[in-house]
Amino acid sequence: MKMKSKVGIALGGGGARGLAHVGVLKALEEERIPIYIIAGTSMGSIIGAMYAQYPDVNALIHKLETFFSSQDYESLGLKYIIPKNDQNPSFLNQLVKDVTQRIVINIAHSRTGIIKTERLAEAVALLIDDGDIEDTQIPFGCAATDLNSGQTILFQRGNIREAVTISSSIPGFIPPHKWDGRYLTDGGVTAPVPIDEAREMGADVVIGVSVDANNIQALDDPHILDIISRADQVRGKYLSRYQLSTADVQLHPHIEDAHWSELLRYREFIDSGERETREKLPQIRNILRKKNSIFRKLFS
């Protein structure tokens, strides 16, 4: 007999900013608020999968610290694409500064990504144990986007590393994946905060976590690619806000001007996630009390 509501958490995409999810999970774990379902997008899928396999946030943090101090992380070369000018925190803007627009356009016409999928897959393999999604200790699902249909694909079965790699494939940086007749890319395109997906998995109460940048820096003498990149950033921000608004509890850690590749700022991001969650604890507990009271009345 069902006596308590199932709490699901929807962990949004946002590259390095997604490390704030660790702080959210840390606060919830320490406050003994159980998570029964995890839905993740992009970096949210990486953190979500790690925690779903082993629900121990201290072990998760230790694994991240080990990875970030390793040669495997160094070999990804992310430090070379962090923008030097904080006023323009996008990868495309950095390309515009470093090379001519003609070279950028030639690359865009001839390639589907900047680095090979194998690089991302290798990083995912260092953070997530091999196995199937069905075998996680906490039910887990991750979102990807079908570039042909525009639909969100929710992985709830199959190889967990492959699913997370697909969910985390940043468009333009990692090539899309051919999968079951589809071209799949980062889930953040259609599901930047996978609230609907958490409910689809059976969550009665959904805690949504958005890690999009709180403020967008003003453009200064933008080029064509700057404008295209900014338009996509604005679109993503509004979609993220809309999806977050449908959650029972809305968490939006305060993160300023963080480029998606600045993973070594993980301590700062974790602290932001923990602060935001602790501020919202009264709201979380109040909603859980109300939901559980309804369930007791219905099933007593």
Side-chain angles (χ1 to χ4, degrees), residues 211-284:
V211 292
D212 64 69
N214 296 80
N215 293 315
I216 300 178
Q217 292 289 337
L219 290 174
D220 181 20
D221 190 26
H223 296 286
I224 292 174
L225 292 178
D226 293 322
I227 296 167
I228 294 172
S229 177
R230 175 53 58 86
D232 183 65
Q233 184 183 9
V234 171
R235 176 209 56 80
K237 188 176 184 68
Y238 275 89
L239 178 58
S240 178
R241 287 180 177 180
Y242 168 74
Q243 292 182 346
L244 183 66
S245 72
T246 66
D248 297 286
V249 179
Q250 303 165 22
L251 302 181
H252 191 183
H254 192 77
I255 301 172
E256 299 276 0
D257 302 334
H259 185 261
W260 66 263
S261 63
E262 294 183 273
L263 296 169
L264 294 184
R265 294 173 60 185
Y266 65 92
R267 292 185 181 88
E268 172 190 340
F269 301 145
I270 290 173
D271 288 344
S272 296
E274 185 174 0
R275 280 195 303 273
E276 171 71 0
T277 307
R278 294 196 181 281
E279 288 178 6
K280 297 288 180 65
L281 279 174
Q283 180 184 348
I284 294 171

Side-chain angles (χ1 to χ4, degrees), residues 98-167:
D98 292 341
V99 297
T100 67
Q101 291 187 57
R102 180 171 295 182
I103 292 174
V104 174
I105 291 171
N106 286 339
I107 290 174
H109 278 293
S110 62
R111 298 175 63 175
T112 58
I114 303 300
I115 67 171
K116 295 181 179 179
T117 302
E118 287 76 16
R119 283 284 186 89
L120 174 60
E122 288 167 3
V124 168
L126 292 169
L127 296 171
I128 298 170
D129 289 347
D130 198 15
D132 291 331
I133 297 174
E134 305 95 298
D135 299 329
T136 57
Q137 294 188 46
I138 299 174
F140 170 74
C142 60
T145 300
D146 181 356
L147 287 174
N148 287 332
S149 70
Q151 294 178 327
T152 299
I153 306 299
L154 178 63
F155 287 100
Q156 297 184 74
R157 287 178 289 276
N159 186 276
I160 192 168
R161 287 176 172 174
E162 180 181 14
V164 169
T165 299
I166 293 172
S167 177

